[in-house]
Amino acid sequence: VMLDQRRLPGEVCYHRYAKPDEVAEAIRGMVVRGAPAIGIAAAYALALVARYERGDAKLFLVANGTAGRILNGTRPTAVNLAWAIARMSRKAGEVAELGPEERFAGMLTEAEAIHREDVAACQRMGALGAEDVPEGAVILTQCNAGALATGGYGTALGVVRAAHAQGKRIRVLADETRPYLQGARLTAWELHQDGIPVEVITDNMAGHFLQRGEVQFVVVGSDRIAANADVANKIGTYSVAVLANRHEVPFTVAAPWSTVDLRTRSGADIPIEQRPGDEVARVGDTVVVAEGVECRHPGFDITPASLVDAIYTERGVVRPKLGERPDVLIG
Ligand code: MRU
C-alpha cells in the first residue's frame, strides 16, 4: 500500500499493488520517491513475487531475477534501489527450495527487516547530526529527505526531528525544489504536521538568506555517496553547497549506509537520471514555457566532497572536508 506522493499535500490517497511491475511503474512515476523509500518499495515488490510465483525453485528464481531487473531499471541514481534488490535476491537464493508459503514468509520478513532497519538508521543518524545543530538554528534543506522518502523519520529531516526533540529551538527553510516541488509539497507538509516550524522559499532565494546570515546549518539527504565522499542529491543541492561554503555555514548530508557506494569511485561515475523536459515546462498543470522550446531536467547533481562538512550515517560520522572518506566507518 503506497501513499501517492504526487498528490500531496492536496490529497491523501493510497494505492494497492499486487505485482512487482505495478510497483516498478509506481517508482518510475514518482508515486513513491526518495532513495531509501524506493529501495524499501522494491524489497516489498520482490516479496510479492514469492506470493504469486508458486512453482519450483527454478521458476521462482527466474521470476525474482526478471522482477529485480525491471525494478532496477526504474531510477538510476539512487543506489539504495540496487542495494535492496541485491539483498532480496540473496534471500531468494536462500529460500528458493522451500515450499511457497515458507518462501513468501522468508521474503516478506526480509523486506520488513530492510524497512525496520532503515527507520532505526534514520533515528541513529538523526541523533548524530542533531549534536552539530546549533541552538536556535535556522536549517536550510533541499528536496524531501523526510519520513516520506525513507522507511520513516527521515535522513535530513531525521536530523531536524532529533534536534527538535532535544528541545533545540530550530526552524527550517525548505527550498521549494523545482521542478517537482518536493520541498514545497512534501517537506513543508510533513514538518507542519509534526509542529516543527517551517517556511518555504523558492530555490533562487537561498543565496539571499545565507548572505544575510539567516541560515546557520544546511542538511540534505543523498541518493548515492561515492567512495571519495562526493554526494549525489536532488538537482540544486550543489548550488546550495557552494553558497553555504561561500558563507561559511556547515553543509551536511544525512544518509543510511545503503546510500554509500564504495564501488563508485567518485561523483563523475554516478549516473544522473535525465527526466522529461516537460516537467520543467510546467508548474502543476500550467505551461510556463513556449511550445516548441526544449527544456533540460537532470534530476540530480553532484556535490564534491571538498564542500561537505559532515556525512551522518548509522555507522558514525564522516568529515570529508577533513579528508575523511566513508570507508573510515568500515570495520
Ligand atoms: O527525485 P526524488 O524525489 O526521488 O529525489 C529524492 C532526493 O533527492 C532525496 O534528497 C534523496 O533521495 C534522499 S531521501 C532520504
Side-chain angles (χ1 to χ4, degrees):
V1 179
M2 275 187 209
L3 173 60
D4 192 338
Q5 299 195 25
R6 300 167 306 183
R7 307 231 189 142
L8 290 172
E11 220 180 310
V12 176
C13 149
Y14 292 88
H15 304 293
R16 299 179 76 88
Y17 301 108
K19 293 275 168 64
D21 46 347
E22 293 170 1
V23 178
E25 247 347 277
I27 294 172
R28 203 190 309 276
M30 307 278 281
V31 174
V32 62
R33 32 66 49 202
I38 63 178
I40 293 162
Y44 282 119
L46 291 174
L48 288 172
V49 173
R51 196 169 71 172
Y52 76 76
E53 180 48 77
R54 303 175 72 83
D56 65 15
K58 195 167 162 213
L59 283 173
F60 167 66
L61 287 174
V62 168
N64 181 81
T66 305
R69 277 189 295 281
I70 292 169
L71 288 159
N72 206 18
T74 53
R75 301 200 66 194
T77 304
V79 76
N80 310 62
L81 190 57
W83 172 88
I85 292 166
R87 181 163 157 185
M88 290 300 287
S89 297
R90 279 195 300 278
K91 190 71 190 173
E94 282 167 36
V95 300
E97 299 290 347
L98 302 177
E101 291 308 323
E102 291 158 295
R103 212 152 60 187
F104 174 52
M107 292 294 279
L108 184 58
T109 303
E110 190 71 356
E112 286 169 344
I114 289 174
H115 189 169
R116 206 177 40 245
E117 287 166 22
D118 186 68
V119 179
C122 285
Q123 286 166 339
R124 176 81 191 118
M125 78 189 72
L128 290 171
E131 287 172 25
D132 286 352
V133 173
E135 163 58 28
V138 172
I139 304 174
L140 178 67
T141 191
Q142 176 80 8
C143 196
N144 171 264
L148 289 164
T150 61
Y153 202 71
T155 55
L157 296 192
V159 173
V160 167
R161 284 195 165 91
H164 180 74
Q166 286 171 4
K168 287 184 176 164
R169 286 173 298 108
I170 48 113
R171 278 192 305 125
V172 173
L173 277 187
D175 273 340
E176 68 171 348
T177 317
R178 270 276 287 158
Y180 227 81
L181 305 181
Q182 290 95 330
R185 294 190 304 104
L186 306 177
T187 294
W189 183 76
E190 62 166 274
L191 291 178
H192 188 63
Q193 294 213 346
D194 272 6
I196 299 175
V198 56
E199 293 169 302
V200 175
I201 59 172
T202 61
D203 300 317
N204 51 0
M205 294 176 188
H208 170 74
F209 287 110
L210 280 153
Q211 187 184 45
R212 290 166 64 101
E214 292 191 33
V215 176
Q216 286 74 41
F217 197 77
V218 180
V219 64
V220 298
S222 173
D223 288 76
R224 195 185 296 227
I225 298 172
N228 72 343
D230 287 352
V231 171
N233 192 46
K234 179 51 53 195
I235 192 73
T237 301
Y238 170 59
S239 316
V240 171
V242 171
L243 285 164
N245 275 264
R246 171 71 177 78
H247 296 289
E248 297 179 8
V249 169
F251 176 87
T252 70
V253 177
W257 193 252
S258 56
T259 301
V260 175
D261 182 8
L262 296 177
R263 279 183 297 193
T264 296
R265 253 179 355 110
S266 77
D269 304 310
I270 297 178
I272 301 293
E273 178 180 3
Q274 300 297 319
R275 295 193 58 87
D278 181 58
E279 292 177 349
V280 171
R282 292 168 185 276
V283 178
D285 291 334
T286 307
V287 178
V288 293
V289 177
E291 209 183 317
V293 175
E294 297 292 325
C295 299
R296 310 263 313 257
H297 184 190
F300 300 90
D301 60 25
I302 305 295
T303 299
S306 58
L307 298 182
V308 179
D309 287 272
I311 298 173
Y312 309 110
T313 82
E314 70 275 30
R315 292 190 177 204
V317 184
V318 182
R319 306 228 177 242
K321 268 195 199 169
L322 302 181
E324 288 181 0
R325 299 292 171 254
D327 62 7
V328 297
L329 298 179
I330 292 178

